[in-house]
Amino acid sequence: GVGREALSIRNYDKPLIAAVNGAAAGGGFALAMLHDVRLASERAVFTSAFVRIGLVAELGLTYTLPRAIGLEAAMDVMYTGRSVTANEAHQLGFIRRVVPHKRLIEDAM
């Protein structure tokens, strides 16, 4: 099931780098959080969105996000379903760097 897939990504034996270049909503946000390092272009936006449709966050987001940014900040992001810009994501600590849109893949590589 989905839980096994998330654990497979999380436990991969090589470093995984996420390069987020646009909207990472719901499962996309959760997938990015399973990576070891996360970079984002200035165009990136993150939202858990689950609360807006009456669902519980999936793919381990309730585990990974609080460990990256602390419980209070994670609850704010997940319970409100608000959008978080790349710069705010960097300030919160779940993005390592914000890079120019045209350089994202180059920097990730």
Side-chain angles (χ1 to χ4, degrees):
V2 175
R4 276 196 318 256
E5 293 168 353
L7 286 174
S8 294
I9 295 167
R10 185 74 177 161
N11 296 327
Y12 195 67
D13 64 350
K14 294 181 177 45
L16 295 173
I17 301 170
V20 181
N21 207 13
F29 182 16
L31 181 62
M33 291 304 299
L34 291 170
H35 288 68
D36 301 300
V37 177
R38 291 165 298 280
L39 305 178
S41 82
E42 70 273 3
R43 297 181 186 178
V45 178
F46 301 84
T47 181
S48 65
F50 298 104
V51 71
R52 292 193 304 247
I53 56 174
L55 296 176
V56 176
E58 64 181 356
L59 289 172
L61 189 62
T62 57
Y63 178 84
T64 57
L65 191 60
R67 281 159 181 76
I69 65 174
L71 183 59
E72 183 179 351
M75 287 190 309
D76 172 50
V77 171
M78 287 190 290
Y79 291 175
T80 63
R82 68 184 180 84
S83 294
V84 177
T85 65
N87 287 325
E88 184 182 2
H90 181 253
Q91 289 171 347
L92 287 170
F94 65 85
I95 294 299
R96 172 55 46 211
R97 278 187 292 154
V98 178
V99 298
H101 177 73
K102 292 183 178 185
R103 281 198 9 230
L104 179 64
I105 299 303
E106 178 184 336
D107 283 16
M109 295 304 283

